[in-house]
Amino acid sequence: MNRREFLHLLSTASVAGMALPLDPARADDAAEALYDAPAFGNVPLLHITDCHAQLRPIYFREPNVNIGVGSMANRPPHLVGEAFLKQFGIKPGARLAHACTFLDFERYAALYGRVGGFAHMATLVKRLRATRPGALLLDGGDTWQGSGAAMWTKGQDMVDAAKLLGVDAMTLHWECTYGQDRVKEIAEKDFAGHIDIVAQNVKTTDFGDPVFKPYVIRAVNGVKVAVIGQAFPYTPIANPRYMVADWTFGIQEDNMQKTVDAARAEGAKVVVVLSHNGMDVDLKMASRVRGVDAILGGHTHDGMPAPSIVENGGGKTLVTNAGSNGKFVGVLDFDVRDGRVSDFRYRLLPVFSNLLAPDSDMDALIAKSRAPFASKLDEKLAVSEGLLYRRGNFNGSFDQLILDALIAEKDAEIAFSPGFRWGTTILPGEAITMENVLDQTAITYPFVTLTPMKGAMIKEILEDVCDNLFNADPYYQQGGDMVRVGGMTYSCDPTATIGNRIGDMMLNGKPVEAEKTYKVAGWAPVSEAARDAGGEPIWELVARHLRAQKTIPAPKLNLPRLKNVDGNLGLAG
């Protein structure tokens, strides 16, 4: 191939959204350079989190808006784009830069290809374990939910994949939306003798007894390692309470300290917390709980190439977060000498599917689990002319598509869509399949609602969700992003206090009136009354809308006018 032919291929592939082919020698060289992670020390830990049931390779665009406020401003994880690359010393245009940021996403997605996929991740895990005898593989949760196949099998496809991958322990969040009985069934049957579910902060509502083991201790190359679980503290608030009616959650910082002390008393020389708190919460907890060597975090989907080192009354704690959707494997190597951690190395390894050959056993399992649903998942609903993605504090183009569908199909004036951080990305020119729609909507309480709502209530809802995101105290944050809003415009001051962040609410050029009633469409209601009322699943509404449209222009994002965020490094164009 001459230079002109190569440049033509490059431009054609970029326009078409194709990954450029790598010949085997180039792929091997690229993989060797990227995945050259020499073993270090004697206690190796591998970490995955927030896979959201993505068994096959995907595209996933990272956010261009991830605002931090107060003490959380302008520091990890609240850095995006060029500020992120500068913080971690990553070369623009490199594979890791593409994996961790939104910069030139369409261009580099075409160049570097899809990420994740459990068959490719399995190959990487085996490669890492080959040089790290005894390595523990820890799963931070949000694994069983996020795809149509997972929803229809009640998470069984992901349970089987986790066992084959060789996960040693995990904690919980979205898993609980299959109901407490299903979670216990998996823990006691499928996982028995294979995977431990750990959660020091999940207790019974009647007597406060532990529902799961608070921690497990494993011997790694002769060193006792304690893995303490921290499930998502706000599960009964962020998701339907009735799904975990007999369980309580919460941060339970005091009990965390007691659990750490108990693990140390039992002989643990290394103590790690497998957390689904969200990174800001983990950073605060690390500053207040003594005796933890590392917090391996999840929930907020932050792919952090280096740990934050937090000082506390007992020394220092590393805080890491390994992204989402199967894009990364975090590798933490401890060197333990004289009964304590003396040194460490950390690498965040992106999973590029065109650099890692699929593991044949995992590939076969995925094909088998998907086969019963393949024809439905593969249905082509429409073609997207623009990039469809979800992540960002205030809106994403796929969320805008959902909002537009809700307004059109329900004849609503205003639409709300949850600020979920899971959901894959579609490149311009690609077909939108039923699988893609389910990647954005596959939950066990998917009902569409149409509610008469006064302007005052609309503001109250927006203020409440905004406080979950921008409260100055991380312990009052629930993760996720701002509810997406269609039809109505507004302003937002993330630095203000609750009740004062939302303003300038306008509909069709007129102010939203506090006492006037508006037709508001939404989905994912958490109340028992909404469950009992039922309703159309959101994916059916969106699919119907897409079939009628056939071609979807790039959605125009409805974004709030932001105040007092000048200079915030969590905000880029």
Side-chain angles (χ1 to χ4, degrees):
M1 180 184 296
N2 62 35
R3 182 174 183 273
R4 176 176 292 180
E5 290 170 331
F6 175 75
L7 291 176
H8 175 70
L9 174 62
L10 183 65
S11 62
T12 302
S14 180
V15 170
M18 301 184 300
L20 289 176
L22 288 179
D23 63 68
R26 288 178 61 205
D28 288 346
D29 289 345
E32 193 63 36
L34 186 64
Y35 301 122
D36 181 24
F40 174 81
N42 52 354
V43 175
L45 305 174
L46 310 180
H47 179 220
I48 60 173
T49 191
D50 296 272
C51 294
H52 283 289
Q54 295 304 318
L55 285 175
R56 304 203 305 169
I58 58 159
Y59 296 111
F60 186 86
R61 177 191 183 271
E62 297 293 338
N64 64 311
V65 183
N66 189 15
I67 295 170
V69 297
S71 63
M72 295 161 280
N74 298 335
R75 71 173 193 175
H78 299 287
L79 303 170
V80 298
E82 293 175 358
F84 185 101
L85 300 185
K86 183 178 179 181
Q87 170 72 24
F88 294 106
I90 301 171
K91 180 181 177 181
R95 284 184 181 271
L96 187 58
H98 172 58
C100 291
T101 73
F102 71 94
L103 296 170
D104 284 331
F105 181 81
E106 294 175 37
R107 173 189 175 193
Y108 288 114
L111 182 63
Y112 293 140
R114 296 176 185 268
V115 294
F118 263 50
H120 305 275
M121 182 192 292
T123 296
L124 179 57
V125 168
K126 287 182 178 179
R127 173 177 178 147
L128 292 166
R129 279 181 154 162
T131 60
R132 290 168 170 80
L136 298 180
L137 177 57
L138 307 177
D139 177 356
D142 278 7
T143 303
W144 308 346
Q145 175 277 335
S147 73
M151 179 179 64
W152 291 324
T153 63
K154 298 182 180 179
Q156 192 65 47
D157 63 337
M158 298 308 302
V159 168
D160 294 341
K163 288 169 63 178
L164 184 59
L165 190 64
V167 171
D168 292 289
M170 72 173 294
T171 196
L172 304 168
H173 173 206
W174 272 94
E175 289 78 8
C176 297
T177 61
Y178 291 114
Q180 62 187 37
D181 291 343
R182 175 62 174 150
V183 176
K184 289 293 285 184
E185 176 188 30
I186 291 169
E188 295 170 0
K189 294 181 181 178
D190 297 84
F191 279 2
H194 299 280
I195 300 173
D196 288 303
I197 295 179
V198 287
Q200 69 87 22
N201 60 329
V202 181
K203 310 286 180 59
T204 60
T205 55
D206 50 8
F207 300 111
D209 296 326
V211 176
F212 304 100
K213 298 174 184 177
Y215 64 92
V216 291
I217 291 182
R218 298 287 183 90
V220 178
N221 299 318
V223 178
K224 285 189 175 182
V225 178
V227 180
I228 300 173
Q230 176 78 354
F232 179 51
Y234 295 107
T235 298
I237 299 172
N239 307 104
R241 180 77 185 91
Y242 60 80
M243 292 181 170
V244 285
D246 298 327
W247 299 352
T248 64
F249 290 74
I251 293 173
Q252 298 192 31
E253 180 187 285
D254 290 344
N255 195 62
M256 175 62 79
Q257 185 64 69
K258 292 176 182 176
T259 305
V260 172
D261 294 344
R264 291 286 185 186
E266 199 173 328
K269 305 304 179 186
V270 176
V271 175
V272 298
V273 174
L274 183 59
S275 168
H276 207 89
N277 277 333
M279 191 163 177
D280 288 333
V281 180
D282 285 337
L283 289 167
K284 179 175 179 177
M285 178 174 280
S287 73
R288 295 164 63 89
V289 175
R290 304 174 308 280
V292 177
D293 294 299
I295 299 178
L296 307 179
H299 182 59
T300 41
H301 294 197
D302 304 302
M304 295 290 103
S308 296
I309 302 176
V310 181
E311 295 187 359
N312 53 56
K316 296 179 180 180
T317 299
L318 308 178
V319 177
T320 75
N321 198 298
S324 69
N325 286 274
K327 283 182 68 173
F328 301 101
V329 175
V331 185
L332 177 57
D333 293 321
F334 280 126
D335 189 26
V336 180
R337 297 177 183 275
D338 300 322
R340 67 180 186 86
V341 173
S342 63
D343 202 354
F344 76 93
R345 298 288 185 274
Y346 184 78
R347 291 281 299 273
L348 183 71
L349 299 179
V351 180
F352 281 102
S353 62
N354 63 356
L355 296 186
L356 296 161
D359 176 78
S360 59
D361 291 339
M362 185 68 78
D363 215 24
L365 177 66
I366 293 168
K368 181 180 178 181
S369 65
R370 190 178 185 278
F373 316 109
S375 60
K376 185 170 185 178
L377 294 172
D378 290 339
E379 180 191 357
K380 294 181 179 180
L381 304 170
V383 173
S384 176
E385 293 182 345
L387 183 72
L388 296 180
Y389 63 91
R390 169 162 278 169
R391 274 303 312 274
N393 281 161
F394 296 99
N395 207 350
S397 51
F398 214 124
D399 285 310
Q400 189 65 54
L401 186 158
I402 294 171
L403 293 167
D404 294 345
L406 282 166
I407 289 173
E409 297 291 324
K410 302 302 290 185
D411 191 26
E413 297 170 277
I414 298 169
F416 289 158
S417 189
F420 297 143
R421 293 191 173 190
W422 45 270
T424 56
T425 298
I426 296 173
L427 299 185
E430 286 191 325
I432 307 171
T433 66
M434 191 67 187
E435 184 166 31
N436 298 140
V437 171
L438 286 161
D439 285 348
Q440 313 288 328
T441 60
I443 64 174
T444 55
Y445 50 106
F447 311 115
V448 174
T449 59
L450 184 64
T451 307
M453 197 175 293
K454 288 187 175 182
M457 177 59 70
I458 293 172
K459 184 178 189 297
E460 183 177 338
I461 290 171
L462 295 182
E463 290 280 4
D464 184 60
V465 178
C466 202
D467 192 60
N468 292 340
L469 182 59
F470 296 121
N471 194 296
D473 185 343
Y475 277 11
Y476 290 96
Q477 295 178 4
Q478 295 179 19
D481 282 315
M482 183 63 180
V483 61
R484 280 60 167 120
V485 181
M488 185 192 81
T489 61
Y490 68 103
S491 64
C492 176
D493 182 353
T495 67
T497 56
I498 189 168
N500 301 297
R501 294 189 179 97
I502 305 299
D504 306 307
M505 294 165 51
M506 304 284 289
L507 181 65
N508 298 324
K510 298 179 181 180
V512 172
E513 301 176 29
E515 293 303 315
K516 185 176 179 179
T517 299
Y518 301 88
K519 290 169 63 178
V520 181
W523 64 285
V526 299
S527 71
E528 291 185 74
R531 174 200 63 188
D532 296 340
E536 182 179 32
I538 182 64
W539 54 81
E540 292 185 5
L541 181 147
V542 174
R544 182 171 64 250
H545 181 75
L546 290 173
R547 291 186 190 105
Q549 298 294 315
K550 294 185 173 57
T551 300
I552 304 298
K556 182 180 179 181
L557 296 189
N558 183 37
L559 295 168
R561 180 169 60 88
L562 297 179
K563 300 178 178 180
N564 295 320
V565 293
D566 290 347
N568 194 297
L569 299 180
L571 178 65

